Amino acid sequence: MQKMPKKYYVFFTLPTLLAFVIAFFIPFLAGIYLSFTEFRTVTDASWVGFNNYILAFTDDQNFINALIFTIKFAIVSVVLINVFAFFLAYLLTRSIPGTNIFRTIFFMPNLIGGIILGYIWQLLINGILINFGVDITFDASYGFWGLVVLMNWQMVGYMMIIYIAGIQSISNELIEAAKIDGANAWQILKSIIVPMVMPAVTICTFLTVANSFKLFDQNLALTAGAPDRASAMLALDIFTTFYGRIGSEGVGQAKAVMFFMIVAAIVLIQLRLTRSREVES
Amino acid sequence: MKNREVIRERILFILLLILALLYLFPMLLVLMNSFKGRFYISDTPFALPTAETFAGIKNYFSGIEKTGFLPAFGYSLFITVFSVGTIVLFTSMTAWCITRVKSKFSSFLYYLLVFSMIVPFQMVMFTMSKMANICHLDNPVGIIVLYLGFGAGLSVFIFSGFIKGIPHEIEEAAVIDGCGPIQTFFLVVLPILKPICITVAILNTMWIWNDYLLPYLVIGNNYKTIPIAVQYLQGGYGSRDMGAMMAMLVLAILPIIIFYLSLQKYIIKGVVAGAVKG
């Protein structure tokens, strides 16, 4: 099928292409254009150059705060999620009865939508905090740790599955040989299992970084940015800028473009790292 | 030696059991509270229902009534099923075509689609919802087009990766036997793609069923999907009906749990495949 008559080519690609142009391509280009304009309804856009980008940082501290909050959140979640996930994967690849049921349970929260997860945890966290006379909106750090716990609950099972696949791909002979040489469980873990699952570590690290940066639903449901936008992450800050106040759509779009560039940079670094690792092995 | 190993295994098992119960605890907590009166939830969520606080299934009735849960369930189901079906059909066609027909346009299209995968939704949310208005896609049928367009990147990427591994000879044999491109695809290629179709379908189902922002912006005013209905209950602070909220959370989780437990093997496999490739 190296060559295909044009009409067939159109038949196979047109539906996807059309939808893609409407849903993504035009909105994407229009989004970049609008970030350099002031607008309310798209048709009334007037060119303002980089003004929106400057306003995003100077108008108020929200964007900077959201950026710092997001970076801190990403670092803490990535470390915790990966440590817990690896720990669980390590336990569940040993001969323990019922590993399949455990895997099923740990993976389950991953399928529940962010809005619903947010309200589940709001109930639990506020139920604890009420004993101290406060709730999750009292201080941004409560929202921060609430989100960290929620994100762990959601993502650990997912990452665990990837680590399990990594650990199971290590050949048994390697571990048997080490045992014959007198290595104990800790030495096997440190010198064989951990180095052998490094590709899985790369995948999981970037999946968690990307998901942490793009977190929106959970943030909206758990704290909605309270108190006073202090617990808003980047995605929520962009949303609030867009729809919270009339007249700041241009600034919102400029923030969105910067948000896109941050996420794209993370993905490109990931691709670089996974590629170079593939060459090594 | 043998004995010590058995003891260690027991300890690990008990540790995992405790962890698993901790993991299930938030969901069980919501389930328990959904049977309590609305004023007994926020202050004492950990208290078991008593004769005084037990409300039976009253919360479920008030929740369903307040949020319009039944239509929301219908919209969610309709949008998810048809969007996923559309995505699987059209992106597999596109992926096969641009993988097999080597041309500048094919690779341009491929890289453009892959590029769209890394663009976060907030980048296009405003312009996309305007575009949906202009093209009259702001209804449960039109939104399928948006999901096809926005989901095409990942799906084409996964399909293409798989198609590259299928030997050409099978398709060439079909052509020699007199199949045109359409017959070749639907009679020969598509059956081979079945396992990867399941993967793509599961990944998209999880995304679309749980998606909040896209339907909220595009159709949220007139048609509420389940996540929108739940968020709608939030209302102003203090005024919200916690009983209805708990009941709705249970009803929102239930279909996913059933879906998960019945297709568990495929879901875990699909998610891993999607993660490793994406």
Side-chain angles (χ1 to χ4, degrees), chain B residues 23-175:
Chain B
Y23 239 78
L24 291 175
F25 179 69
M27 283 186 268
L28 297 175
L29 186 71
V30 170
L31 181 67
M32 181 186 88
N33 278 291
S34 72
F35 297 112
K36 283 167 38 179
R38 53 185 289 196
F39 300 113
Y40 301 101
I41 294 167
S42 290
D43 295 349
T44 51
F46 303 113
L48 285 166
T50 60
E52 187 198 356
T53 60
F54 184 72
I57 54 170
K58 218 179 82 199
N59 290 329
Y60 286 83
F61 284 114
S62 68
I64 286 171
E65 199 186 329
K66 274 188 184 155
T67 57
F69 185 83
L70 295 178
F73 182 83
Y75 291 133
S76 275
L77 192 67
F78 175 86
I79 293 170
T80 306
V81 168
F82 285 97
S83 299
V84 170
T86 313
I87 288 174
V88 169
L89 174 67
F90 288 134
T91 60
S92 63
M93 284 163 57
T94 307
W96 178 68
C97 182
I98 63 176
T99 310
R100 287 303 193 228
V101 180
K102 301 255 184 299
S103 71
K104 280 221 176 87
F105 185 73
S106 288
S107 50
F108 170 72
L109 195 55
Y110 176 74
Y111 284 114
L112 197 61
L113 286 164
V114 170
F115 168 75
S116 77
M117 274 163 53
I118 65 170
V119 178
F121 182 67
Q122 277 74 16
M123 171 69 205
V124 295
M125 67 177 178
F126 184 82
T127 40
M128 182 209 252
S129 53
K130 286 285 171 251
M131 194 72 187
N133 286 335
I134 295 167
C135 301
H136 300 293
L137 296 174
D138 44 1
N139 54 65
V141 177
I143 203 169
I144 294 169
V145 176
L146 301 180
Y147 276 121
L148 173 62
F150 212 71
L154 179 68
S155 306
V156 166
F157 182 66
I158 294 175
F159 273 125
S160 286
F162 189 82
I163 291 167
K164 276 175 201 154
I166 303 174
H168 286 270
E169 285 77 11
I170 302 171
E171 291 152 41
E172 275 154 21
V175 173

Side-chain angles (χ1 to χ4, degrees), chain A residues 64-118:
Chain A
I64 298 269
N65 286 343
L67 183 64
I68 295 168
F69 190 94
T70 308
I71 292 171
K72 272 193 206 157
F73 173 79
I75 293 170
V76 174
S77 332
V78 165
V79 173
L80 289 180
I81 290 172
N82 283 286
V83 168
F84 284 133
F86 181 80
F87 173 70
L88 281 182
Y90 179 65
L91 290 186
L92 289 176
T93 43
R94 302 168 69 99
S95 57
I96 293 172
T99 49
N100 270 332
I101 297 169
F102 286 129
R103 279 179 212 181
T104 304
I105 292 173
F106 292 137
F107 185 77
M108 202 182 300
N110 193 252
L111 292 131
I112 302 171
I115 294 285
I116 293 149
L117 286 174

Side-chain angles (χ1 to χ4, degrees), chain B residues 212-234:
Chain B
Y212 167 72
L213 197 48
L214 195 159
Y216 170 74
L217 292 176
V218 177
I219 59 172
N221 284 333
N222 304 317
Y223 312 95
K224 290 181 175 55
T225 59
I226 293 176
I228 300 174
V230 171
Q231 175 68 12
Y232 179 73
L233 260 188
Q234 161 75 12

Side-chain angles (χ1 to χ4, degrees), chain A residues 1 4 11-12, chain B residues 88-97 100 159 163 166 171 174-175 179-193 197:
Chain A
M1 215 43 71
M4 193 188 282
F11 169 80
F12 278 105
Chain B
V88 169
L89 174 67
F90 288 134
T91 60
S92 63
M93 284 163 57
T94 307
W96 178 68
C97 182
R100 287 303 193 228
F159 273 125
I163 291 167
I166 303 174
E171 291 152 41
V175 173
C179 284
I182 292 173
Q183 284 167 309
T184 308
F185 179 77
F186 285 102
L187 299 178
V188 179
V189 178
L190 202 54
I192 302 175
L193 292 181
C197 284

